[in-house]
Amino acid sequence: MSSILMLLLTSIAMAQGQTVPIDTNTIRKLDEVLINARQKRYQIDSVSNVTRTSSALQQTPQSIQVIGQQVIRDKQAFTLNDLTNTLTGVKANNGMGYYSLRGFTFYNPFDAGVITFDGIRGNLYLWSQQPLLYNIEQVEVLRGPASVLFSNNAPGGTINFTTKKPQSLPQLELGAFYGSWHAKRFSLDATGPLSKNKKLLYRGIVGYDQGNSFRDYQDVRNLLVAPSLSYAFSTTSKLLLEVNYAYEKAVQQYDRGSYVFTRPDGTFDFDYYPNHLTAQSPSDYGKTHNTSVSLRYDQQLGKKLRLTLVQRYVRSRFDYTDHIVTGLIQHDSISRSFQDWLYDQFNWQTTAFLDYSLKTGAFTHHILTGVDYNNYGWHQNDYRNSPAQRISIFNPDYSLDPPSSNPEVDYYDDNKERIHLIGSYIQDQIQYKDLILLLSLRYDDYSLRRVPLSERDSEQGNESDASAWIPRVGLVYSPFKALSFYGSYTTSFNPQTSNSVRNGGPFPPRTAKQYEIGSKSSWFDSRLSLTLAAYQIDYTNILAAAPTDENPNRQVALDGTRSKGLEATAQGNIRHFNLIFGYAYNDHVLLSDNTLGVKGSRFANAPKHMANAWIKYNLSKGILKGLGIGLGGRYTSNQVGFVSAQNFLIPASTVLDAMLNYERNRCNIQFNVYNITNAHYFMGGNSRTVTASLGNPFNFRIGINYLLY
């Protein structure tokens, strides 16, 4: 009987997300055992969304880290920012959607491909937001350029979210949380079959949260509704429909950072001003609506050929006002400006690809070929920036906020934009004995047209056209089943978004080339993985100001930057321990003298050293069975907060976290503490020496999850 039970559990785990024909009575007996076994897992051996193939991670010639559902639960992570201290070399730069990876700072606009969902372009959130995790099954980080699959792409890497899918086993889970600064969070996750034959499945996820901050005027509320349906026409064809609606309402859309005092000798004091003070105003507000619909069709055509078709539509709209710092601090007062913005963004993404396997003599080929068409931009970009009242930092007077419009001095944008991006690619993964050779090539054609909607628009139009051949080459050697060595050459392609003739354009596209070598191994019967990587990324054609008397708006394309580094990640389970260890060394510098800085200057928000650790011990016997204890943290060395001011060094920091949970039957009660030592630390700079993004002080979350069935 025990051998049959183990066989059933193994079969269910291998078929996650698929319909498994098992007797209903048996399902109810095994349901709790299955869920507990899945939740305890930190090690994930393969991932398909971020690679579009079913290859094991050990056979992929690029560094990839996967954070699964159990880590999200153990950290009580609500947003991506809550997870970054478990991701090797990934740093949240502020409370928005700005992140650093391999020394490159990026945020999540729709046109850079740095955030993807289910391996498909089309970020579901705006750059001012931290992506929510209510409906996320796991988070995957593909390090380095990945334009061969995702088109125009950030050089540091891609962060992909895999969403929760409908399941054939009925399940209803409720969650409630409370934390520091009156934070409240409620969630519901229901899934199961809608038809007796279990061909039609559903999943409905609802999440709501609200909370304040230790900072002034930072009240934020989020609502997420994410229903999905799947229908299996047969054992070889399946249709999946996913809808995602997220609404955010805030007194301020995001935190603009804490003040930094400049001493008379030109050095900086990061502890001078109280933590709660901000240049923003209680009259500021933000309202954001994000709506997306994704339709995916998978068809197995025989044993060796699989077709995937995906159509995604994303619509993001916001209305917000904001006060920002515009000058230097003088006599403990600061000058500000006021932003008033109405924005309506859209994204149509069509993706189709074929996955084909065949043999030619002693060689096995795994061929992937596809085409992507992306039609995106904005229907409305109505923006005003006006001078605002200067305020005393210690005794601010907001009575004159916000300022009235004044066309004589205000800056305006009033335009619409449409981008067409079409690309096709082919990839052959060739295996001969212990060797795997990966050859990929993509061609992209890009066209941007920005049109003014009124005479208020400052640029009065912008055009940009670009095309590129994007190659990738990789080699994997596996002398043993549990060990592989790899090397790869990857590239990225990013057309310029500021390309007007008025500014000196058109400019060549930004490109990156990465050389990476590394090894991947598994230990303790594949329960623990170890990834080592060394890389160099050359990034060219970044724009910098180069004003002249004739053209004060002139820009030039620079030689760029070079990022070199080492990374090590250990992740998995050893007996009753879950663990994640990571270390990243990065040296990212300018390659020439220019208006950004001198040759050799450190790039902004790129610490040379980051180390993270997280260990959880699970008690499985005795009176304390079901108890879990976790401890970990992140060390970040100092970092330059503004590339033009190399002495603006944000101090090094060590932040420690802990957790305690008790899981019994279908209920889990959990207590998390963050920044145990109440360290005063900063996450990154804000393109000036007046402010920096302040990390959270000591705070806690207590939550309960209950699985009804």
Side-chain angles (χ1 to χ4, degrees), residues 504-542:
F507 302 104
R510 293 162 288 166
T511 60
K513 299 178 181 179
Q514 175 182 267
Y515 304 89
E516 179 178 335
I517 59 172
S519 71
K520 300 179 182 181
S521 57
S522 59
W523 304 79
F524 304 103
D525 294 327
S526 299
R527 293 192 299 270
L528 179 73
S529 66
L530 175 63
T531 301
L532 304 174
Y535 62 88
Q536 176 177 303
I537 304 174
D538 293 327
Y539 189 44
T540 61
N541 298 329
I542 60 175

Side-chain angles (χ1 to χ4, degrees), residues 322-377:
D322 190 28
H323 286 77
I324 61 174
V325 169
T326 56
L328 299 177
I329 297 174
Q330 297 179 351
H331 307 294
D332 290 328
S333 68
I334 187 70
S335 59
R336 305 176 301 155
S337 68
F338 170 73
Q339 298 182 114
D340 189 354
W341 205 350
L342 284 173
Y343 184 73
D344 186 353
Q345 172 183 297
F346 69 93
N347 189 333
W348 287 96
Q349 173 70 39
T350 303
T351 294
F353 56 92
L354 285 167
D355 191 357
Y356 181 59
S357 299
L358 75 157
K359 277 192 174 184
T360 56
F363 297 91
T364 300
H365 297 264
H366 196 157
I367 298 173
L368 179 71
T369 183
V371 61
D372 300 312
Y373 174 65
N374 203 192
N375 174 16
Y376 60 100

Side-chain angles (χ1 to χ4, degrees), residues 463-538:
E463 297 185 2
S464 181
D465 296 287
S467 60
W469 289 97
I470 306 165
R472 176 173 70 166
V473 179
L475 183 65
V476 181
Y477 172 58
S478 301
F480 310 105
K481 182 179 179 181
L483 175 66
S484 66
F485 300 94
Y486 71 90
S488 63
Y489 168 76
T490 55
T491 58
S492 75
F493 160 72
N494 268 305
Q496 304 287 357
T497 55
S498 175
N499 218 16
S500 66
V501 175
R502 184 178 72 96
N503 294 340
F507 302 104
R510 293 162 288 166
T511 60
K513 299 178 181 179
Q514 175 182 267
Y515 304 89
E516 179 178 335
I517 59 172
S519 71
K520 300 179 182 181
S521 57
S522 59
W523 304 79
F524 304 103
D525 294 327
S526 299
R527 293 192 299 270
L528 179 73
S529 66
L530 175 63
T531 301
L532 304 174
Y535 62 88
Q536 176 177 303
I537 304 174
D538 293 327

Side-chain angles (χ1 to χ4, degrees), residues 1-198:
M1 180 65 183
S2 60
S3 61
I4 296 175
L5 177 62
M6 290 302 297
L7 179 62
L8 285 172
L9 288 174
T10 304
S11 300
I12 296 172
M14 291 178 63
Q16 184 177 357
Q18 301 177 7
T19 301
V20 183
I22 302 175
D23 181 74
T24 305
N25 294 327
T26 306
I27 290 173
R28 294 199 177 278
K29 292 178 182 178
L30 300 180
D31 193 3
E32 179 181 324
V33 179
L34 170 64
I35 292 171
N36 287 341
R38 180 186 58 139
Q39 286 182 347
K40 295 294 184 292
R41 190 180 180 194
Y42 271 28
Q43 166 66 353
I44 297 175
D45 300 318
S46 63
V47 59
S48 59
N49 282 329
V50 79
T51 60
R52 294 189 183 173
T53 68
S54 57
S55 300
L57 294 180
Q58 198 163 304
Q59 297 178 332
T60 305
Q62 203 163 345
S63 176
I64 301 175
Q65 184 182 5
V66 183
I67 296 297
Q69 183 64 205
Q70 182 59 34
V71 182
I72 296 174
R73 289 173 178 267
D74 286 346
K75 299 291 292 182
Q76 281 203 91
F78 297 168
T79 69
L80 176 59
N81 292 40
D82 294 333
L83 277 183
T84 53
N85 61 1
T86 63
L87 300 172
T88 302
V90 179
K91 181 175 71 70
N93 288 337
N94 48 39
M96 299 176 278
Y98 284 61
Y99 308 96
S100 287
L101 179 55
R102 289 195 166 175
F104 290 91
T105 294
F106 60 85
Y107 61 102
N108 56 3
F110 63 99
D111 65 340
V114 295
I115 298 287
T116 61
F117 281 77
D118 294 313
I120 305 298
R121 285 170 55 90
N123 183 21
L124 309 188
Y125 297 92
L126 287 168
W127 61 86
S128 58
Q129 298 174 285
Q130 303 177 31
L132 301 173
L133 300 179
Y134 289 106
N135 63 328
I136 301 304
E137 183 66 32
Q138 64 187 33
V139 178
E140 302 131 19
V141 179
L142 175 63
R143 295 184 173 88
S147 283
V148 73
L149 291 181
F150 302 114
S151 192
N152 59 322
N153 182 263
T158 299
I159 299 178
N160 179 70
F161 294 89
T162 295
T163 56
K164 296 178 179 178
K165 303 297 190 292
Q167 302 293 306
S168 60
L169 303 178
Q171 180 175 300
L172 174 61
E173 184 175 14
L174 302 175
F177 304 83
Y178 180 80
S180 297
W181 311 303
H182 305 291
K184 304 177 186 68
R185 184 177 190 258
F186 305 95
S187 63
L188 179 149
D189 183 355
T191 188
L194 289 175
S195 61
K196 290 183 178 181
N197 59 9
K198 296 188 178 181

